[in-house]
């Protein structure tokens, strides 16, 4: 799906356009600094007395992933789905210092 990615002083936002996708068919996860959006757009079912002439709307499973900046706070994530738009907000925190230590040279 198409997405917009933006940020403010306090958060990162990912907005994904998911027309014809039900809320229960979407899964959002954030693990090891990677935000994943996945789901499935069900195929169009022909109605009785309906003949389909063209199918251009993509159907099937989808998956998008985004590496979050080091100051994204994995404990402060929220998602909202309304009118075919998924809006994910990730609060900014303090950048984590990389684990490290000084190595003694012998």
């Amino acid at each position: 799906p198409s997405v917009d990615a933006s940020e403010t002083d306090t958060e990162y936002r990912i907005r994904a356009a998911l027309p014809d996708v039900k809320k229960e068919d979407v899964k959002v996860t954030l693990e090891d600094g990677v935000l994943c959006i996945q789901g499935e757009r069900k195929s169009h079912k022909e109605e009785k007395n309906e003949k389909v002439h063209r199918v251009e709307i993509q159907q099937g499973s989808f998956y998008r992933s985004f590496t979050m900046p080091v100051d994204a706070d994995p404990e402060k994530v929220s998602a909202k789905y309304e009118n075919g738009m998924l809006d994910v907000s990730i609060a900014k925190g303090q950048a984590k210092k990389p684990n490290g230590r000084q190595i003694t040279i012998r």
Side-chain angles (χ1 to χ4, degrees):
S2 299
V3 298
D4 291 339
S6 61
E7 73 176 286
T8 66
D9 291 341
T10 59
E11 70 180 1
Y12 296 100
R13 284 183 66 191
I14 302 287
R15 296 190 74 216
L18 304 173
D20 292 335
V21 178
K22 294 180 182 177
K23 178 178 163 181
E24 52 272 7
D25 292 333
V26 179
K27 180 179 176 184
V28 178
T29 59
L30 179 61
E31 188 173 334
D32 295 329
V34 178
L35 177 76
C36 297
I37 300 171
Q38 61 189 44
E40 183 174 5
R41 182 175 289 117
K42 307 284 183 177
S43 62
H44 173 77
K45 294 181 181 171
E46 289 185 35
E47 300 291 327
K48 191 175 182 178
N49 299 326
E50 177 186 25
K51 293 180 183 178
V52 177
H53 294 283
R54 183 181 301 257
V55 177
E56 292 184 352
I57 298 173
Q58 292 183 348
Q59 54 194 355
S61 298
F62 57 86
Y63 179 88
R64 294 290 306 264
S65 64
F66 307 89
T67 302
M68 292 285 93
V70 294
D71 64 341
D73 188 341
E75 301 300 319
K76 296 181 181 174
V77 180
S78 64
K80 180 174 76 170
Y81 188 74
E82 187 174 40
N83 297 325
M85 291 298 294
L86 175 67
D87 192 350
V88 181
S89 298
I90 304 102
K92 289 183 177 181
Q94 291 186 340
K96 295 180 181 175
K97 294 180 182 176
N99 292 335
R101 61 186 180 96
Q102 183 172 346
I103 307 298
T104 304
I105 302 173
R106 295 180 192 209

